[in-house]
């Protein structure tokens, strides 16, 4: 994993912490071993594979069984 890839991962984590958006498209510009967030947009359900939706459903079920609230 390159430095820029580590930065993309850090950007993803910060976006989630700030906006609590579990799924979205992040537009990231990589230049000279640096990564910059340029924008984000909603992810359409049609852009997800059935296996992705199955995994998300399982995670939501686990969270709800633990008594955690899932906000929309």
């Amino acid at each position: 994993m390159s430095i820029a890839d580590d930065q993309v991962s850090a950007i993803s984590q910060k976006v989630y912490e700030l906006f609590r958006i579990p799924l979205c498209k992040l537009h990231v510009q990589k230049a000279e071993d640096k990564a910059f967030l340029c924008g984000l947009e909603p992810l359409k359900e049609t852009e997800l594979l059935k296996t992705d939706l199955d995994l998300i459903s399982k995670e939501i079920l686990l969270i709800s069984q633990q008594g955690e609230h899932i906000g929309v």
Side-chain angles (χ1 to χ4, degrees):
M1 190 178 289
S2 72
I3 293 171
D5 291 336
D6 289 340
Q7 292 172 355
V8 169
S9 180
I11 289 170
S12 300
Q13 183 64 34
K14 286 179 184 178
V15 166
Y16 178 74
E17 290 171 1
L18 183 61
F19 298 109
R20 292 290 185 204
I21 301 171
L23 296 171
C24 68
K25 287 183 192 177
L26 296 180
H27 299 276
V28 177
Q29 178 83 31
K30 291 167 124 182
E32 298 179 18
D33 289 330
K34 292 188 180 180
F36 303 93
L37 178 63
C38 298
L40 57 113
E41 66 180 287
L43 185 65
K44 297 175 186 155
E45 184 177 336
T46 56
E47 295 176 285
L48 295 169
L49 300 173
K50 182 178 179 337
T51 54
D52 295 329
L53 293 172
D54 291 344
L55 179 62
I56 293 165
S57 295
K58 287 177 186 175
E59 289 295 323
I60 290 172
L61 181 61
L62 285 173
I63 290 169
S64 65
Q65 289 173 344
Q66 294 172 358
E68 295 182 37
H69 174 72
I70 301 171
V72 218

Short mmCIF file of all heavy atoms in Angstrom, two decimals:
data_model
loop_
_atom_site.label_atom_id
_atom_site.label_comp_id
_atom_site.label_asym_id
_atom_site.label_seq_id
_atom_site.Cartn_x
_atom_site.Cartn_y
_atom_site.Cartn_z
N MET A 1 0.85 -1.17 0.00
CA MET A 1 0.00 0.00 0.00
C MET A 1 0.90 1.23 0.00
O MET A 1 1.82 1.35 0.79
CB MET A 1 -0.91 -0.03 1.23
CG MET A 1 -1.97 1.02 1.17
SD MET A 1 -3.13 1.01 2.58
CE MET A 1 -4.05 -0.46 2.27
N SER A 2 0.61 2.17 -0.88
CA SER A 2 1.42 3.38 -0.99
C SER A 2 0.98 4.43 0.03
O SER A 2 -0.06 4.31 0.67
CB SER A 2 1.31 3.95 -2.40
OG SER A 2 0.04 4.53 -2.59
N ILE A 3 1.77 5.47 0.14
CA ILE A 3 1.43 6.58 1.03
C ILE A 3 0.09 7.19 0.63
O ILE A 3 -0.75 7.47 1.47
CB ILE A 3 2.55 7.65 1.01
CG1 ILE A 3 3.82 7.08 1.63
CG2 ILE A 3 2.11 8.92 1.74
CD1 ILE A 3 5.04 7.96 1.47
N ALA A 4 -0.11 7.38 -0.68
CA ALA A 4 -1.37 7.95 -1.16
C ALA A 4 -2.55 7.05 -0.79
O ALA A 4 -3.62 7.53 -0.42
CB ALA A 4 -1.33 8.20 -2.66
N ASP A 5 -2.37 5.72 -0.88
CA ASP A 5 -3.44 4.79 -0.52
C ASP A 5 -3.76 4.91 0.98
O ASP A 5 -4.92 4.86 1.37
CB ASP A 5 -3.06 3.36 -0.86
CG ASP A 5 -3.02 3.10 -2.35
OD1 ASP A 5 -3.70 3.84 -3.11
OD2 ASP A 5 -2.32 2.17 -2.77
N ASP A 6 -2.74 5.05 1.80
CA ASP A 6 -2.96 5.26 3.24
C ASP A 6 -3.74 6.55 3.47
O ASP A 6 -4.61 6.62 4.34
CB ASP A 6 -1.63 5.32 3.99
CG ASP A 6 -0.94 3.97 4.07
OD1 ASP A 6 -1.61 2.93 3.90
OD2 ASP A 6 0.29 3.95 4.30
N GLN A 7 -3.43 7.58 2.69
CA GLN A 7 -4.12 8.86 2.83
C GLN A 7 -5.58 8.74 2.40
O GLN A 7 -6.47 9.32 3.03
CB GLN A 7 -3.41 9.94 2.02
CG GLN A 7 -2.05 10.30 2.57
CD GLN A 7 -1.28 11.23 1.64
OE1 GLN A 7 -1.70 11.55 0.54
NE2 GLN A 7 -0.12 11.68 2.11
N VAL A 8 -5.84 7.97 1.35
CA VAL A 8 -7.22 7.75 0.90
C VAL A 8 -8.01 7.04 2.00
O VAL A 8 -9.15 7.40 2.29
CB VAL A 8 -7.26 6.95 -0.42
CG1 VAL A 8 -8.68 6.50 -0.75
CG2 VAL A 8 -6.69 7.78 -1.56
N SER A 9 -7.39 6.06 2.62
CA SER A 9 -8.03 5.35 3.73
C SER A 9 -8.34 6.31 4.88
O SER A 9 -9.42 6.27 5.46
CB SER A 9 -7.13 4.21 4.19
OG SER A 9 -7.73 3.51 5.25
N ALA A 10 -7.40 7.18 5.20
CA ALA A 10 -7.60 8.16 6.27
C ALA A 10 -8.71 9.14 5.91
O ALA A 10 -9.53 9.51 6.76
CB ALA A 10 -6.30 8.90 6.55
N ILE A 11 -8.76 9.57 4.66
CA ILE A 11 -9.82 10.47 4.19
C ILE A 11 -11.18 9.78 4.34
O ILE A 11 -12.14 10.37 4.83
CB ILE A 11 -9.58 10.91 2.73
CG1 ILE A 11 -8.40 11.88 2.66
CG2 ILE A 11 -10.84 11.55 2.14
CD1 ILE A 11 -7.93 12.18 1.24
N SER A 12 -11.26 8.52 3.93
CA SER A 12 -12.51 7.75 4.04
C SER A 12 -12.98 7.70 5.48
O SER A 12 -14.16 7.90 5.78
CB SER A 12 -12.32 6.34 3.51
OG SER A 12 -11.95 6.35 2.17
N GLN A 13 -12.07 7.42 6.39
CA GLN A 13 -12.41 7.34 7.81
C GLN A 13 -12.90 8.69 8.33
O GLN A 13 -13.89 8.77 9.05
CB GLN A 13 -11.20 6.87 8.62
CG GLN A 13 -11.47 6.70 10.09
CD GLN A 13 -12.48 5.61 10.40
OE1 GLN A 13 -12.54 4.59 9.72
NE2 GLN A 13 -13.29 5.82 11.41
N LYS A 14 -12.24 9.77 7.95
CA LYS A 14 -12.64 11.10 8.41
C LYS A 14 -14.01 11.49 7.87
O LYS A 14 -14.81 12.09 8.59
CB LYS A 14 -11.59 12.14 8.01
CG LYS A 14 -10.33 12.04 8.84
CD LYS A 14 -9.30 13.06 8.41
CE LYS A 14 -8.02 12.87 9.19
NZ LYS A 14 -6.97 13.80 8.77
N VAL A 15 -14.29 11.16 6.62
CA VAL A 15 -15.60 11.46 6.03
C VAL A 15 -16.69 10.72 6.80
O VAL A 15 -17.72 11.29 7.15
CB VAL A 15 -15.65 11.11 4.52
CG1 VAL A 15 -17.08 11.10 4.00
CG2 VAL A 15 -14.79 12.08 3.73
N TYR A 16 -16.43 9.45 7.12
CA TYR A 16 -17.42 8.68 7.89
C TYR A 16 -17.62 9.28 9.27
O TYR A 16 -18.75 9.45 9.73
CB TYR A 16 -17.04 7.21 8.00
CG TYR A 16 -18.05 6.45 8.82
CD1 TYR A 16 -19.29 6.14 8.30
CD2 TYR A 16 -17.78 6.12 10.15
CE1 TYR A 16 -20.25 5.49 9.06
CE2 TYR A 16 -18.73 5.48 10.92
CZ TYR A 16 -19.96 5.16 10.38
OH TYR A 16 -20.90 4.54 11.15
N GLU A 17 -16.54 9.61 9.96
CA GLU A 17 -16.64 10.18 11.30
C GLU A 17 -17.40 11.50 11.30
O GLU A 17 -18.18 11.77 12.20
CB GLU A 17 -15.25 10.38 11.90
CG GLU A 17 -14.56 9.09 12.26
CD GLU A 17 -13.09 9.28 12.64
OE1 GLU A 17 -12.60 10.44 12.64
OE2 GLU A 17 -12.44 8.27 12.93
N LEU A 18 -17.19 12.31 10.28
CA LEU A 18 -17.81 13.63 10.21
C LEU A 18 -19.28 13.56 9.79
O LEU A 18 -20.15 14.16 10.40
CB LEU A 18 -17.04 14.53 9.25
CG LEU A 18 -17.52 15.96 9.12
CD1 LEU A 18 -17.44 16.69 10.45
CD2 LEU A 18 -16.69 16.70 8.07
N PHE A 19 -19.57 12.81 8.72
CA PHE A 19 -20.91 12.80 8.14
C PHE A 19 -21.74 11.57 8.49
O PHE A 19 -22.94 11.55 8.25
CB PHE A 19 -20.83 12.92 6.61
CG PHE A 19 -20.21 14.21 6.15
CD1 PHE A 19 -18.95 14.21 5.58
CD2 PHE A 19 -20.88 15.41 6.30
CE1 PHE A 19 -18.36 15.40 5.15
CE2 PHE A 19 -20.31 16.60 5.87
CZ PHE A 19 -19.05 16.60 5.30
N ARG A 20 -21.09 10.52 8.99
CA ARG A 20 -21.77 9.25 9.32
C ARG A 20 -22.51 8.69 8.10
O ARG A 20 -23.61 8.17 8.20
CB ARG A 20 -22.73 9.42 10.49
CG ARG A 20 -22.04 9.69 11.78
CD ARG A 20 -21.32 8.47 12.24
NE ARG A 20 -20.74 8.69 13.55
CZ ARG A 20 -19.71 8.03 14.01
NH1 ARG A 20 -19.16 7.09 13.28
NH2 ARG A 20 -19.23 8.26 15.18
N ILE A 21 -21.91 8.82 6.95
CA ILE A 21 -22.46 8.26 5.72
C ILE A 21 -21.77 6.92 5.50
O ILE A 21 -20.58 6.87 5.21
CB ILE A 21 -22.19 9.19 4.51
CG1 ILE A 21 -22.79 10.56 4.73
CG2 ILE A 21 -22.73 8.55 3.23
CD1 ILE A 21 -22.39 11.58 3.68
N PRO A 22 -22.49 5.82 5.66
CA PRO A 22 -21.84 4.51 5.54
C PRO A 22 -21.42 4.16 4.12
O PRO A 22 -20.44 3.47 3.91
CB PRO A 22 -22.87 3.53 6.06
CG PRO A 22 -24.18 4.24 5.94
CD PRO A 22 -23.90 5.71 6.01
N LEU A 23 -22.17 4.63 3.14
CA LEU A 23 -21.85 4.34 1.74
C LEU A 23 -21.99 5.60 0.91
O LEU A 23 -23.03 6.24 0.90
CB LEU A 23 -22.81 3.29 1.16
CG LEU A 23 -22.77 1.91 1.78
CD1 LEU A 23 -23.92 1.07 1.25
CD2 LEU A 23 -21.46 1.23 1.50
N CYS A 24 -20.93 5.95 0.21
CA CYS A 24 -20.97 7.07 -0.72
C CYS A 24 -19.76 6.95 -1.64
O CYS A 24 -18.85 6.18 -1.39
CB CYS A 24 -20.97 8.41 0.00
SG CYS A 24 -19.45 8.82 0.86
N LYS A 25 -19.81 7.73 -2.70
CA LYS A 25 -18.66 7.80 -3.60
C LYS A 25 -17.78 8.94 -3.14
O LYS A 25 -18.26 10.06 -2.94
CB LYS A 25 -19.10 8.10 -5.04
CG LYS A 25 -19.76 6.98 -5.74
CD LYS A 25 -20.05 7.42 -7.16
CE LYS A 25 -20.98 6.47 -7.84
NZ LYS A 25 -21.32 6.93 -9.19
N LEU A 26 -16.51 8.67 -2.96
CA LEU A 26 -15.56 9.72 -2.63
C LEU A 26 -14.74 10.01 -3.88
O LEU A 26 -14.24 9.09 -4.52
CB LEU A 26 -14.61 9.29 -1.51
CG LEU A 26 -15.24 9.01 -0.15
CD1 LEU A 26 -14.16 8.59 0.84
CD2 LEU A 26 -15.99 10.21 0.36
N HIS A 27 -14.64 11.27 -4.22
CA HIS A 27 -13.81 11.67 -5.35
C HIS A 27 -12.49 12.16 -4.76
O HIS A 27 -12.45 13.18 -4.08
CB HIS A 27 -14.49 12.76 -6.17
CG HIS A 27 -15.80 12.31 -6.74
ND1 HIS A 27 -15.87 11.60 -7.92
CD2 HIS A 27 -17.06 12.42 -6.28
CE1 HIS A 27 -17.13 11.32 -8.17
NE2 HIS A 27 -17.88 11.80 -7.18
N VAL A 28 -11.44 11.39 -5.01
CA VAL A 28 -10.14 11.68 -4.43
C VAL A 28 -9.13 11.90 -5.55
O VAL A 28 -9.05 11.10 -6.49
CB VAL A 28 -9.67 10.51 -3.52
CG1 VAL A 28 -8.29 10.76 -2.97
CG2 VAL A 28 -10.67 10.30 -2.40
N GLN A 29 -8.40 12.97 -5.45
CA GLN A 29 -7.34 13.29 -6.42
C GLN A 29 -6.01 12.87 -5.80
O GLN A 29 -5.70 13.24 -4.68
CB GLN A 29 -7.34 14.80 -6.68
CG GLN A 29 -6.25 15.25 -7.62
CD GLN A 29 -6.64 15.07 -9.06
OE1 GLN A 29 -7.80 15.14 -9.41
NE2 GLN A 29 -5.68 14.84 -9.91
N LYS A 30 -5.26 12.06 -6.52
CA LYS A 30 -3.93 11.66 -6.07
C LYS A 30 -2.90 12.40 -6.92
O LYS A 30 -2.96 12.36 -8.14
CB LYS A 30 -3.73 10.16 -6.24
CG LYS A 30 -4.55 9.31 -5.31
CD LYS A 30 -4.52 7.88 -5.78
CE LYS A 30 -4.04 6.93 -4.76
NZ LYS A 30 -3.97 5.55 -5.23
N ALA A 31 -1.98 13.09 -6.25
CA ALA A 31 -0.95 13.84 -6.97
C ALA A 31 0.32 13.85 -6.12
O ALA A 31 0.28 14.20 -4.93
CB ALA A 31 -1.41 15.26 -7.25
N GLU A 32 1.40 13.46 -6.72
CA GLU A 32 2.71 13.49 -6.06
C GLU A 32 2.67 12.86 -4.67
O GLU A 32 3.06 13.47 -3.68
CB GLU A 32 3.23 14.93 -5.99
CG GLU A 32 3.43 15.55 -7.36
CD GLU A 32 3.93 16.99 -7.28
OE1 GLU A 32 4.43 17.39 -6.21
OE2 GLU A 32 3.82 17.68 -8.29
N ASP A 33 2.21 11.63 -4.60
CA ASP A 33 2.14 10.88 -3.34
C ASP A 33 1.27 11.53 -2.27
O ASP A 33 1.46 11.29 -1.09
CB ASP A 33 3.54 10.61 -2.77
CG ASP A 33 4.30 9.58 -3.60
OD1 ASP A 33 3.64 8.70 -4.19
OD2 ASP A 33 5.54 9.67 -3.66
N LYS A 34 0.31 12.37 -2.68
CA LYS A 34 -0.65 12.95 -1.75
C LYS A 34 -2.05 12.71 -2.29
O LYS A 34 -2.25 12.64 -3.49
CB LYS A 34 -0.40 14.45 -1.57
CG LYS A 34 0.89 14.75 -0.85
CD LYS A 34 1.00 16.21 -0.51
CE LYS A 34 2.33 16.44 0.21
NZ LYS A 34 2.50 17.83 0.57
N ALA A 35 -3.01 12.58 -1.37
CA ALA A 35 -4.40 12.39 -1.75
C ALA A 35 -5.23 13.54 -1.20
O ALA A 35 -5.03 13.97 -0.07
CB ALA A 35 -4.90 11.06 -1.20
N PHE A 36 -6.16 14.04 -2.04
CA PHE A 36 -7.00 15.16 -1.66
C PHE A 36 -8.46 14.82 -1.95
O PHE A 36 -8.79 14.36 -3.04
CB PHE A 36 -6.63 16.41 -2.46
CG PHE A 36 -5.19 16.81 -2.33
CD1 PHE A 36 -4.24 16.36 -3.24
CD2 PHE A 36 -4.78 17.61 -1.29
CE1 PHE A 36 -2.91 16.72 -3.12
CE2 PHE A 36 -3.45 17.99 -1.15
CZ PHE A 36 -2.51 17.53 -2.07
N LEU A 37 -9.34 15.08 -0.99
CA LEU A 37 -10.77 14.88 -1.20
C LEU A 37 -11.30 16.01 -2.07
O LEU A 37 -11.15 17.18 -1.73
CB LEU A 37 -11.51 14.85 0.14
CG LEU A 37 -13.03 14.68 0.05
CD1 LEU A 37 -13.39 13.33 -0.57
CD2 LEU A 37 -13.65 14.81 1.43
N CYS A 38 -11.92 15.65 -3.19
CA CYS A 38 -12.45 16.66 -4.12
C CYS A 38 -13.97 16.73 -4.06
O CYS A 38 -14.55 17.71 -4.51
CB CYS A 38 -12.03 16.34 -5.55
SG CYS A 38 -10.25 16.35 -5.78
N GLY A 39 -14.62 15.71 -3.53
CA GLY A 39 -16.07 15.71 -3.44
C GLY A 39 -16.60 14.36 -3.04
O GLY A 39 -15.86 13.38 -2.96
N LEU A 40 -17.89 14.33 -2.77
CA LEU A 40 -18.56 13.07 -2.49
C LEU A 40 -19.98 13.15 -3.00
O LEU A 40 -20.52 14.23 -3.19
CB LEU A 40 -18.52 12.73 -0.99
CG LEU A 40 -19.11 13.73 -0.03
CD1 LEU A 40 -20.35 13.15 0.62
CD2 LEU A 40 -18.08 14.04 1.03
N GLU A 41 -20.56 11.99 -3.26
CA GLU A 41 -21.92 11.94 -3.77
C GLU A 41 -22.58 10.64 -3.31
O GLU A 41 -21.89 9.67 -2.97
CB GLU A 41 -21.97 12.08 -5.29
CG GLU A 41 -21.34 10.93 -6.04
CD GLU A 41 -21.39 11.10 -7.55
OE1 GLU A 41 -22.48 10.97 -8.12
OE2 GLU A 41 -20.32 11.35 -8.13
N PRO A 42 -23.91 10.62 -3.30
CA PRO A 42 -24.62 9.41 -2.88
C PRO A 42 -24.29 8.23 -3.80
O PRO A 42 -24.00 8.42 -4.98
CB PRO A 42 -26.09 9.77 -3.00
CG PRO A 42 -26.14 11.25 -3.10
CD PRO A 42 -24.83 11.69 -3.66
N LEU A 43 -24.38 7.07 -3.24
CA LEU A 43 -24.18 5.84 -4.01
C LEU A 43 -25.55 5.25 -4.28
O LEU A 43 -26.37 5.09 -3.37
CB LEU A 43 -23.33 4.87 -3.18
CG LEU A 43 -22.90 3.57 -3.84
CD1 LEU A 43 -21.97 3.86 -5.01
CD2 LEU A 43 -22.20 2.69 -2.84
N LYS A 44 -25.83 4.98 -5.53
CA LYS A 44 -27.13 4.42 -5.89
C LYS A 44 -27.15 2.92 -5.59
O LYS A 44 -26.15 2.23 -5.74
CB LYS A 44 -27.39 4.63 -7.38
CG LYS A 44 -27.48 6.07 -7.76
CD LYS A 44 -27.61 6.23 -9.25
CE LYS A 44 -27.54 7.71 -9.59
NZ LYS A 44 -27.10 7.94 -10.94
N GLU A 45 -28.30 2.45 -5.17
CA GLU A 45 -28.45 1.02 -4.85
C GLU A 45 -28.10 0.16 -6.06
O GLU A 45 -27.53 -0.91 -5.93
CB GLU A 45 -29.87 0.73 -4.39
CG GLU A 45 -30.06 -0.71 -3.95
CD GLU A 45 -31.46 -0.99 -3.43
OE1 GLU A 45 -32.14 -0.06 -2.98
OE2 GLU A 45 -31.86 -2.16 -3.49
N THR A 46 -28.37 0.67 -7.26
CA THR A 46 -28.09 -0.10 -8.48
C THR A 46 -26.59 -0.24 -8.74
O THR A 46 -26.18 -1.06 -9.55
CB THR A 46 -28.75 0.56 -9.71
OG1 THR A 46 -28.31 1.92 -9.80
CG2 THR A 46 -30.27 0.51 -9.60
N GLU A 47 -25.77 0.55 -8.04
CA GLU A 47 -24.33 0.46 -8.20
C GLU A 47 -23.70 -0.59 -7.28
O GLU A 47 -22.50 -0.83 -7.35
CB GLU A 47 -23.69 1.83 -7.92
CG GLU A 47 -24.11 2.87 -8.93
CD GLU A 47 -23.56 4.24 -8.62
OE1 GLU A 47 -24.07 4.89 -7.68
OE2 GLU A 47 -22.61 4.65 -9.31
N LEU A 48 -24.52 -1.18 -6.42
CA LEU A 48 -24.03 -2.20 -5.50
C LEU A 48 -24.32 -3.59 -6.05
O LEU A 48 -25.37 -3.82 -6.65
CB LEU A 48 -24.71 -2.05 -4.14
CG LEU A 48 -24.40 -0.78 -3.37
CD1 LEU A 48 -25.35 -0.65 -2.18
CD2 LEU A 48 -22.96 -0.78 -2.90
N LEU A 49 -23.42 -4.49 -5.80
CA LEU A 49 -23.64 -5.89 -6.17
C LEU A 49 -24.57 -6.54 -5.15
O LEU A 49 -24.66 -6.09 -4.01
CB LEU A 49 -22.31 -6.65 -6.19
CG LEU A 49 -21.25 -6.14 -7.16
CD1 LEU A 49 -19.94 -6.89 -6.93
CD2 LEU A 49 -21.72 -6.30 -8.59
N LYS A 50 -25.22 -7.62 -5.55
CA LYS A 50 -26.08 -8.33 -4.61
C LYS A 50 -25.28 -8.79 -3.40
O LYS A 50 -25.78 -8.73 -2.27
CB LYS A 50 -26.75 -9.52 -5.29
CG LYS A 50 -27.69 -10.25 -4.35
CD LYS A 50 -28.40 -11.40 -4.99
CE LYS A 50 -29.32 -12.16 -4.09
NZ LYS A 50 -29.14 -12.11 -2.68
N THR A 51 -24.05 -9.20 -3.60
CA THR A 51 -23.22 -9.63 -2.46
C THR A 51 -22.95 -8.47 -1.50
O THR A 51 -22.89 -8.68 -0.29
CB THR A 51 -21.88 -10.24 -2.94
OG1 THR A 51 -21.23 -9.30 -3.81
CG2 THR A 51 -22.09 -11.54 -3.68
N ASP A 52 -22.81 -7.25 -2.04
CA ASP A 52 -22.64 -6.07 -1.19
C ASP A 52 -23.89 -5.84 -0.34
O ASP A 52 -23.81 -5.60 0.87
CB ASP A 52 -22.38 -4.81 -2.02
CG ASP A 52 -21.08 -4.86 -2.79
OD1 ASP A 52 -20.12 -5.49 -2.31
OD2 ASP A 52 -21.02 -4.25 -3.88
N LEU A 53 -25.05 -5.91 -0.99
CA LEU A 53 -26.31 -5.70 -0.27
C LEU A 53 -26.53 -6.77 0.79
O LEU A 53 -27.01 -6.48 1.89
CB LEU A 53 -27.48 -5.68 -1.26
CG LEU A 53 -27.51 -4.49 -2.22
CD1 LEU A 53 -28.59 -4.68 -3.28
CD2 LEU A 53 -27.71 -3.20 -1.46
N ASP A 54 -26.16 -8.01 0.49
CA ASP A 54 -26.28 -9.09 1.46
C ASP A 54 -25.39 -8.83 2.68
O ASP A 54 -25.81 -9.00 3.83
CB ASP A 54 -25.92 -10.44 0.84
CG ASP A 54 -26.94 -10.93 -0.18
OD1 ASP A 54 -28.07 -10.40 -0.19
OD2 ASP A 54 -26.60 -11.83 -0.97
N LEU A 55 -24.17 -8.40 2.43
CA LEU A 55 -23.24 -8.10 3.52
C LEU A 55 -23.75 -6.94 4.38
O LEU A 55 -23.73 -6.99 5.61
CB LEU A 55 -21.85 -7.77 2.96
CG LEU A 55 -20.79 -7.41 3.99
CD1 LEU A 55 -20.53 -8.58 4.93
CD2 LEU A 55 -19.50 -7.01 3.30
N ILE A 56 -24.25 -5.90 3.73
CA ILE A 56 -24.80 -4.75 4.45
C ILE A 56 -25.99 -5.18 5.31
O ILE A 56 -26.10 -4.80 6.47
CB ILE A 56 -25.20 -3.63 3.47
CG1 ILE A 56 -23.94 -3.05 2.80
CG2 ILE A 56 -26.00 -2.54 4.17
CD1 ILE A 56 -24.22 -2.21 1.58
N SER A 57 -26.86 -6.00 4.75
CA SER A 57 -28.02 -6.49 5.49
C SER A 57 -27.60 -7.28 6.73
O SER A 57 -28.17 -7.12 7.81
CB SER A 57 -28.90 -7.37 4.60
OG SER A 57 -29.45 -6.61 3.56
N LYS A 58 -26.59 -8.12 6.58
CA LYS A 58 -26.10 -8.91 7.72
C LYS A 58 -25.51 -8.00 8.80
O LYS A 58 -25.74 -8.22 9.99
CB LYS A 58 -25.05 -9.92 7.25
CG LYS A 58 -25.62 -11.07 6.47
CD LYS A 58 -24.52 -12.00 5.98
CE LYS A 58 -25.11 -13.07 5.08
NZ LYS A 58 -24.08 -13.92 4.47
N GLU A 59 -24.77 -6.98 8.38
CA GLU A 59 -24.17 -6.05 9.35
C GLU A 59 -25.27 -5.29 10.10
O GLU A 59 -25.17 -5.10 11.31
CB GLU A 59 -23.23 -5.07 8.65
CG GLU A 59 -21.95 -5.70 8.15
CD GLU A 59 -21.06 -6.22 9.27
OE1 GLU A 59 -20.99 -5.59 10.34
OE2 GLU A 59 -20.43 -7.27 9.07
N ILE A 60 -26.29 -4.84 9.39
CA ILE A 60 -27.39 -4.11 10.03
C ILE A 60 -28.11 -5.02 11.02
O ILE A 60 -28.45 -4.60 12.13
CB ILE A 60 -28.36 -3.54 8.97
CG1 ILE A 60 -27.68 -2.41 8.21
CG2 ILE A 60 -29.67 -3.07 9.61
CD1 ILE A 60 -28.45 -1.89 7.03
N LEU A 61 -28.33 -6.27 10.64
CA LEU A 61 -28.98 -7.23 11.54
C LEU A 61 -28.15 -7.42 12.81
O LEU A 61 -28.68 -7.40 13.92
CB LEU A 61 -29.19 -8.56 10.82
CG LEU A 61 -29.87 -9.66 11.63
CD1 LEU A 61 -31.27 -9.23 12.06
CD2 LEU A 61 -29.94 -10.94 10.83
N LEU A 62 -26.83 -7.59 12.67
CA LEU A 62 -25.96 -7.75 13.83
C LEU A 62 -26.01 -6.54 14.74
O LEU A 62 -26.09 -6.66 15.97
CB LEU A 62 -24.52 -8.00 13.39
CG LEU A 62 -24.20 -9.38 12.84
CD1 LEU A 62 -22.78 -9.43 12.28
CD2 LEU A 62 -24.38 -10.44 13.90
N ILE A 63 -25.97 -5.35 14.15
CA ILE A 63 -26.02 -4.11 14.94
C ILE A 63 -27.34 -4.02 15.69
O ILE A 63 -27.38 -3.70 16.88
CB ILE A 63 -25.80 -2.88 14.04
CG1 ILE A 63 -24.34 -2.85 13.55
CG2 ILE A 63 -26.15 -1.59 14.78
CD1 ILE A 63 -24.08 -1.84 12.46
N SER A 64 -28.44 -4.31 15.02
CA SER A 64 -29.75 -4.20 15.66
C SER A 64 -29.91 -5.25 16.76
O SER A 64 -30.55 -4.99 17.78
CB SER A 64 -30.87 -4.31 14.63
OG SER A 64 -30.89 -5.59 14.03
N GLN A 65 -29.31 -6.43 16.59
CA GLN A 65 -29.39 -7.47 17.62
C GLN A 65 -28.59 -7.07 18.86
O GLN A 65 -28.86 -7.55 19.96
CB GLN A 65 -28.88 -8.81 17.08
CG GLN A 65 -29.82 -9.43 16.09
CD GLN A 65 -29.25 -10.68 15.44
OE1 GLN A 65 -28.07 -10.95 15.48
NE2 GLN A 65 -30.13 -11.47 14.82
N GLN A 66 -27.61 -6.20 18.69
CA GLN A 66 -26.80 -5.73 19.82
C GLN A 66 -27.48 -4.56 20.52
O GLN A 66 -26.96 -4.02 21.48
CB GLN A 66 -25.42 -5.30 19.35
CG GLN A 66 -24.59 -6.46 18.83
CD GLN A 66 -23.29 -6.01 18.19
OE1 GLN A 66 -23.00 -4.82 18.09
NE2 GLN A 66 -22.49 -6.97 17.73
N GLY A 67 -28.65 -4.15 20.03
CA GLY A 67 -29.41 -3.09 20.67
C GLY A 67 -28.99 -1.69 20.27
O GLY A 67 -29.45 -0.72 20.87
N GLU A 68 -28.12 -1.57 19.27
CA GLU A 68 -27.71 -0.25 18.83
C GLU A 68 -28.75 0.35 17.90
O GLU A 68 -29.41 -0.37 17.15
CB GLU A 68 -26.35 -0.32 18.12
CG GLU A 68 -25.23 -0.75 19.03
CD GLU A 68 -23.89 -0.76 18.33
OE1 GLU A 68 -23.65 0.12 17.48
OE2 GLU A 68 -23.10 -1.67 18.61
N HIS A 69 -28.90 1.66 17.96
CA HIS A 69 -29.86 2.36 17.10
C HIS A 69 -29.18 2.70 15.77
O HIS A 69 -28.06 3.14 15.74
CB HIS A 69 -30.36 3.64 17.77
CG HIS A 69 -31.23 4.45 16.88
ND1 HIS A 69 -32.51 4.04 16.56
CD2 HIS A 69 -31.04 5.62 16.23
CE1 HIS A 69 -33.06 4.94 15.75
NE2 HIS A 69 -32.18 5.91 15.55
N ILE A 70 -29.91 2.47 14.69
CA ILE A 70 -29.41 2.80 13.37
C ILE A 70 -30.22 3.99 12.86
O ILE A 70 -31.42 3.88 12.63
CB ILE A 70 -29.56 1.61 12.39
CG1 ILE A 70 -28.80 0.42 12.92
CG2 ILE A 70 -29.08 2.00 11.00
CD1 ILE A 70 -29.05 -0.87 12.16
N GLY A 71 -29.57 5.14 12.75
CA GLY A 71 -30.25 6.34 12.28
C GLY A 71 -30.24 6.41 10.77
O GLY A 71 -29.37 5.88 10.11
N VAL A 72 -31.26 7.05 10.23
CA VAL A 72 -31.33 7.22 8.79
C VAL A 72 -31.25 8.68 8.43
O VAL A 72 -31.71 9.53 9.09
CB VAL A 72 -32.63 6.65 8.19
CG1 VAL A 72 -32.35 6.01 6.87
CG2 VAL A 72 -33.35 5.74 9.09
#
